[in-house]
Amino acid sequence: MNRILESKEVRFKFDFSARRKELDEQKKEYPLSYKMFEDKIPPQYAIQILNELTDDERTIIDVVANLGDIVVDSDGDGSFIMNVQELATIKAENLPVKVLLINNQYLGMIMELEERYFKANRADSYLGDPLRKSPIGFPQLE
């Protein structure tokens, strides 16, 4: 697909200025806040630093539509586990994607539902060892 698009010199340009303006207004009205921990990095902090490093340019929308650009996929560990097959597409299409893996040991959307509707009673949303509450490890990738 990359070769076909490159041979035809196809470049997709999308205008997200209205959406960016709306998001900028929401950021001013509802600024991001989160609790810091001594030895752990909150996911919100990781995303804030990523936004600062990339000048808050874009979130992942369509990698193929932005050929030549580096795209950063920020994923929680639960999302990554459920969508790991996408790595095959990234490799097959030789896409310049960087992955920021946020390892919080939970299926985040499930945990939110448990907190909201089930008084934080956990039912299989924890990804570590449920008996010892020890975290699972992820390999160190470069």
Side-chain angles (χ1 to χ4, degrees):
M1 181 180 286
N2 284 346
R3 278 181 270 146
I4 292 169
L5 291 172
E6 289 168 357
S7 69
K8 302 205 178 277
E9 296 183 21
V10 175
R11 289 291 286 176
F12 298 98
K13 295 292 178 189
F14 298 102
D15 182 12
F16 296 107
S17 58
R19 178 68 176 145
R20 297 295 308 164
K21 182 179 179 197
E22 178 185 348
L23 291 173
D24 288 341
E25 290 169 5
Q26 287 182 8
K27 284 180 186 179
K28 289 176 186 168
E29 189 171 344
Y30 307 103
L32 181 64
S33 65
Y34 48 88
K35 183 177 178 180
M36 293 296 289
F37 302 93
E38 288 183 27
D39 62 340
K40 297 192 181 350
I41 300 171
Q44 299 91 332
Y45 180 71
I47 298 299
Q48 177 185 342
I49 296 300
L50 175 63
N51 285 342
E52 289 171 7
L53 291 172
T54 60
D55 294 325
D56 204 16
E57 279 296 312
R58 100 173 54 108
T59 56
I60 196 164
I61 295 167
D62 186 347
V63 177
V64 177
N66 296 296
L67 289 174
D69 292 346
I70 293 177
V71 176
V72 178
D73 169 29
S74 57
D75 258 339
D77 48 350
S79 172
F80 186 78
I81 289 169
M82 288 188 265
N83 296 289
V84 72
Q85 70 277 4
E86 298 300 334
L87 292 178
T89 303
I90 291 168
K91 176 65 177 163
E93 296 295 331
N94 197 28
L95 299 172
V97 176
K98 305 293 183 191
V99 177
L100 171 63
L101 181 60
I102 299 170
N103 182 3
N104 68 352
Q105 302 294 301
Y106 282 96
L107 299 172
M109 290 175 52
I110 303 299
M111 185 176 68
E112 284 182 29
L113 292 172
E114 291 168 340
E115 288 179 4
R116 184 171 293 158
Y117 300 111
F118 301 102
K119 299 180 183 175
N121 184 25
R122 300 282 179 249
D124 296 327
S125 62
Y126 180 66
L127 296 176
D129 183 335
L131 299 177
R132 292 189 302 238
K133 293 292 183 190
S134 62
I136 56 174
F138 285 93
Q140 296 297 321
L141 304 175
E142 294 184 29

